[in-house]
Amino acid sequence: MLDAHLRDEFDRLGIRQGRILVAVSGGRDSMVLLDLVARCRRDLGLSLVVGHVDHGLRGVASAADRAHVREAAERMGAAFRVRSIAPEIGRSVPSSRDRPTLEEAARTLRRAALRDMAGNDDCRWIATAHHAGDQAETLLMRLLRGTGPDGLAGMAPRSADGRWLKPLLRVLPERISAWAEEEGIAWREDESNQDRRFTRNRLRLDWIPGLEATFNPQLLRTLGDLAEAGRQDLEWIEGLVDEAVGERVELGTSGVRFAIGGWDEIPEALARRVVRRVLIEVGLGRHVSRTHLERILAFLRRGRAAGRDKRLELPRGFVLRRRGDGFELSA
Amino acid sequence: MLDAHLRDEFDRLGIRQGRILVAVSGGRDSMVLLDLVARCRRDLGLSLVVGHVDHGLRGVASAADRAHVREAAERMGAAFRVRSIAPEIGRSVPSSRDRPTLEEAARTLRRAALRDMAGNDDCRWIATAHHAGDQAETLLMRLLRGTGPDGLAGMAPRSADGRWLKPLLRVLPERISAWAEEEGIAWREDESNQDRRFTRNRLRLDWIPGLEATFNPQLLRTLGDLAEAGRQDLEWIEGLVDEAVGERVELGTSGVRFAIGGWDEIPEALARRVVRRVLIEVGLGRHVSRTHLERILAFLRRGRAAGRDKRLELPRGFVLRRRGDGFELSA
């Protein structure tokens, strides 16, 4: 059952003939993913590399996780690679505004380590074991903490650059759990999954079961459907934003030039996305609030009436000003 | 404060010079709305009619609600209109699939009664007292029970036909409550708001306060922002769907004709919306599942290869078949 699902998903995503790095922590989900990929590797012509990231946060347990994953890799004749990371280092940023949480820092370093291992081994793909429960948590976390409509597309089964795969994203956690039991797959429990200091754990342990019981026993599936529809929307919309950016914005080496006119003629939803896209390109993505976005749009909409002397100050020393027959955004 | 907000909102929505029906149940929110509209009516040239819908569900309390609203209307020299409805009647539909819940039936009848009163009095607008708490509940209910991305646009501050207004949609319930207290506005408590048999009440009473405490004290505002962004998206997207329907679909008196080709060239997200729009137009909106939608799209995508003899059966006796140089959907 689940092995057939994985094979279908790989077919759909066009994954065959190449080296694939499977990210394995030693926990239930990634041990199941490893088992499933190993089962179909021959038919699909995949060469399997097991990548383990040692967070070093769990003392003796970390060493045991590593040994567990290494043994599994050896048993199935797959290459084993390991990288140690120290998430605390990623947090040594002076301003608290820019400092990531421990979870964010760990995620960034973990992804860098996996990318690095994949690069060293010429792996075309990196697969992680995120499933429908993780997707639902992501959607709910974003919804509760604040997100625009695009955020509800959730995680993608394949990243835009084609590198990162999440082939279990539509699989309910109980199916993974059943597979682990039926197939006798041994995994290592990560106690930090029970740690209620992490909001995501509280959501999973304390809230989702109650929401399922009160509102919808199929909640995970329902949120998965929403994420999929949101992702289809996003792909469509991103294409429209690309076009609009191409028509109205020049991204140069010294800065960005916006067209002088026409900002009143495109719908607010599109105009905002065009500006947001540009801000992300110049590295202001995280630093620009709703209010900034609105001010920029209001400035652009004034067109020639904005005047040459008027300027709009933005974070990190960026300035938007009318210059010649356009607007220039530069640092 | 809140009176200034209402006036700004009316300005933004272009509400001035005309008769307006305010829907007043006698509860806190609608009594505050009535007070606010009464305060700005002269400046904005609005003539005020108070419309009360008697659900007859609450026995003696219903009569007292009615008297309370009538007195308030008389005190401020506004016309008072009342209609009685019997929501149970709306439920006398044989199939349980089509039968609305008591809440849905009451809502449909209430809206019909308000539309009718507004029509009799030549009111251009009907204003209801939905606020940011109601909007957040709507979003969460839809999210938890299942919705596509468009559903997250929530309720609109003004309906597409311009008739229905929700001028308090961005106002937090605590601001309404504070205004009622400061201005000494008397209202009638509706005990059914505390009735936990209604899921929405459980969401409001039992879940939202906990979600606010655990994840985000600004949850209502956060969900309001999402709804607003979703609504901007929807307005934009609906325009694109209009265009695509115009290019590919003919809505005739005997049925609908879809173009024979090109269904593979437009993005899935758009193609689905085009088909869904058509299904709604022919009255199949509620009767078509995701699976139906996918089958219809797959059929259209086959183009000429679909063959003249193949037909796709749909609910309520509708059939989609290739006919001549197109596809025909008819009953």
Side-chain angles (χ1 to χ4, degrees):
Chain A
M1 280 291 290
L2 206 49
D3 48 345
H5 178 95
L6 183 92
R7 180 190 294 253
D8 287 351
E9 194 65 10
F10 274 174
D11 263 351
R12 210 175 59 84
L13 298 171
I15 309 305
R16 52 165 57 237
Q17 307 302 339
R19 287 171 83 78
I20 183 167
L21 184 91
V22 177
V24 184
S25 68
R28 185 198 64 188
D29 305 336
S30 60
M31 290 301 291
V32 166
L33 176 63
L34 176 59
D35 173 71
L36 296 171
V37 177
R39 281 169 197 256
C40 73
R41 63 183 151 167
R42 234 155 258 148
D43 286 0
L44 297 181
L46 297 174
S47 166
L48 175 57
V49 179
V50 174
H52 178 72
V53 178
D54 186 345
H55 290 67
L57 287 172
R58 300 175 54 223
V60 178
S62 289
D65 291 347
R66 179 200 286 229
H68 183 77
V69 177
R70 168 177 301 167
E71 278 159 32
E74 280 168 4
R75 214 178 317 119
M76 51 186 65
F80 175 74
R81 305 286 180 252
V82 63
R83 279 284 184 295
S84 295
I85 60 170
E88 278 297 346
I89 292 171
R91 300 182 78 214
S92 57
V93 173
S95 138
S96 74
R97 196 201 152 98
D98 295 330
R99 190 188 305 139
T101 66
L102 187 57
E103 286 160 287
E104 284 166 352
R107 181 175 177 277
T108 304
L109 290 173
R110 187 167 58 239
R111 287 175 65 89
L114 290 167
R115 207 182 283 113
D116 190 42
M117 286 188 269
N120 285 346
D121 273 321
D122 279 328
C123 293
R124 289 173 67 186
W125 306 289
I126 305 165
T128 62
H130 296 88
H131 54 61
D134 301 313
Q135 179 72 296
E137 288 164 26
T138 297
L139 247 67
L140 285 173
M141 286 287 283
R142 290 184 185 173
L143 184 95
L144 294 170
R145 291 198 161 164
T147 185
D150 294 350
L152 298 174
M155 299 183 284
R158 182 165 190 178
S159 61
D161 66 3
R163 197 88 198 268
W164 296 84
L165 310 176
K166 296 183 171 59
L168 301 180
L169 207 50
R170 298 285 297 175
V171 178
L172 295 174
E174 57 258 35
R175 280 184 72 193
I176 294 178
S177 162
W179 183 267
E181 187 152 332
E182 288 156 20
E183 300 299 324
I185 293 168
W187 78 87
R188 303 251 322 145
E189 200 65 69
D190 179 350
E191 288 90 20
S192 74
N193 287 339
Q194 305 294 322
D195 186 339
R196 284 183 165 76
R197 279 174 304 176
F198 298 116
T199 324
R200 189 184 269 265
N201 290 343
R202 292 214 296 279
L203 179 65
R204 185 180 62 251
L205 300 168
D206 302 333
W207 290 88
I208 290 179
L211 292 171
E212 287 176 325
T214 310
F215 298 99
N216 182 359
Q218 305 287 324
L219 181 61
L220 299 190
R221 194 185 299 271
T222 294
L223 293 174
D225 288 346
L226 174 62
E228 197 163 287
R231 210 156 41 242
Q232 283 179 356
D233 274 11
L234 192 58
E235 279 167 22
W236 171 37
I237 286 176
E238 289 286 291
L240 300 171
V241 176
D242 287 345
E243 272 176 45
V245 168
E247 286 164 11
R248 282 155 211 275
V249 185
E250 278 172 53
L251 292 156
T253 44
S254 68
V256 174
R257 273 182 75 82
F258 293 92
I260 190 90
W263 294 98
D264 248 345
E265 290 144 30
I266 58 175
E268 176 88 11
L270 178 58
R272 270 169 187 272
R273 282 189 170 86
V274 168
V275 172
R276 205 186 304 134
R277 168 80 62 84
V278 170
L279 296 175
I280 291 168
E281 297 269 355
V282 302
L284 282 177
R286 281 188 70 151
H287 302 273
V288 170
S289 64
R290 265 172 83 90
T291 319
H292 282 129
L293 203 64
E294 272 161 26
R295 280 200 202 127
I296 295 173
L297 262 176
F299 197 74
L300 294 175
R301 285 211 179 104
R302 298 189 62 202
R304 292 183 195 285
R308 277 165 204 279
D309 300 329
K310 282 272 180 70
R311 35 193 280 140
L312 188 64
E313 314 265 347
L314 293 165
R316 305 199 127 192
F318 274 85
V319 180
L320 180 67
R321 55 166 86 80
R322 161 108 187 271
R323 182 162 285 184
D325 206 31
F327 293 99
E328 190 180 276
L329 174 71
S330 54
Chain B
M1 280 291 292
L2 206 50
D3 49 343
H5 178 95
L6 183 93
R7 178 189 295 250
D8 287 350
E9 195 65 10
F10 274 175
D11 263 350
R12 210 174 60 84
L13 298 171
I15 310 305
R16 51 164 58 236
Q17 307 301 338
R19 286 170 83 78
I20 183 169
L21 183 91
V22 177
V24 184
S25 68
R28 187 200 62 188
D29 304 338
S30 60
M31 290 300 291
V32 165
L33 176 63
L34 176 59
D35 173 70
L36 296 171
V37 177
R39 281 168 197 256
C40 72
R41 61 181 153 168
R42 235 156 256 147
D43 287 359
L44 297 181
L46 297 174
S47 166
L48 176 57
V49 179
V50 174
H52 178 73
V53 178
D54 187 344
H55 289 65
L57 287 172
R58 300 175 54 223
V60 179
S62 289
D65 291 347
R66 178 200 286 231
H68 184 78
V69 177
R70 168 178 298 163
E71 278 159 32
E74 281 168 1
R75 216 178 317 119
M76 50 186 67
F80 174 75
R81 306 285 180 255
V82 64
R83 279 285 182 295
S84 296
I85 61 171
E88 279 296 346
I89 292 171
R91 300 182 79 213
S92 58
V93 173
S95 141
S96 74
R97 196 201 151 98
D98 294 331
R99 189 188 306 140
T101 65
L102 186 58
E103 286 160 287
E104 285 166 352
R107 180 174 178 279
T108 304
L109 290 173
R110 188 167 58 238
R111 287 176 65 90
L114 289 167
R115 206 182 284 114
D116 189 44
M117 286 188 269
N120 286 347
D121 272 322
D122 280 328
C123 292
R124 290 173 65 187
W125 306 289
I126 304 166
T128 62
H130 296 88
H131 53 61
D134 301 312
Q135 179 72 296
E137 289 163 25
T138 297
L139 247 67
L140 285 172
M141 286 288 282
R142 289 184 185 174
L143 184 94
L144 294 169
R145 292 199 162 162
T147 183
D150 293 351
L152 298 175
M155 299 183 283
R158 182 165 189 176
S159 62
D161 66 3
R163 196 89 199 267
W164 296 83
L165 310 176
K166 296 182 171 58
L168 300 180
L169 206 50
R170 299 284 296 175
V171 179
L172 296 173
E174 57 259 36
R175 280 184 73 193
I176 294 178
S177 162
W179 183 267
E181 187 152 332
E182 286 157 22
E183 301 299 324
I185 293 169
W187 78 87
R188 302 254 320 147
E189 201 65 68
D190 180 351
E191 288 90 20
S192 74
N193 287 338
Q194 305 293 321
D195 186 339
R196 284 183 165 75
R197 279 174 304 177
F198 298 116
T199 324
R200 190 184 268 267
N201 290 343
R202 293 215 295 278
L203 180 65
R204 187 179 64 251
L205 300 169
D206 302 333
W207 290 88
I208 290 179
L211 293 171
E212 288 175 325
T214 310
F215 297 98
N216 181 359
Q218 305 287 323
L219 181 62
L220 298 189
R221 193 185 300 270
T222 294
L223 293 174
D225 289 346
L226 175 63
E228 198 164 286
R231 209 154 45 240
Q232 284 180 355
D233 273 10
L234 193 58
E235 280 168 22
W236 171 37
I237 285 175
E238 289 285 291
L240 299 170
V241 176
D242 287 346
E243 271 175 46
V245 169
E247 286 164 12
R248 281 155 211 275
V249 186
E250 276 172 53
L251 292 156
T253 43
S254 69
V256 174
R257 273 182 76 82
F258 292 91
I260 189 89
W263 293 98
D264 248 345
E265 290 144 31
I266 58 174
E268 175 89 12
L270 178 58
R272 271 170 187 270
R273 282 189 170 85
V274 168
V275 173
R276 205 185 307 133
R277 168 80 62 83
V278 169
L279 297 174
I280 292 168
E281 296 271 354
V282 302
L284 283 177
R286 278 188 72 152
H287 302 274
V288 171
S289 65
R290 265 173 83 89
T291 319
H292 282 129
L293 203 63
E294 272 161 26
R295 279 198 203 128
I296 295 174
L297 261 177
F299 197 75
L300 294 176
R301 285 213 179 102
R302 299 189 61 203
R304 292 183 195 284
R308 276 166 206 279
D309 299 330
K310 284 273 182 68
R311 34 192 281 141
L312 188 64
E313 314 265 347
L314 293 166
R316 305 199 127 193
F318 274 86
V319 179
L320 180 67
R321 56 166 86 80
R322 161 106 188 272
R323 183 158 285 182
D325 206 32
F327 292 98
E328 189 180 276
L329 174 71
S330 53

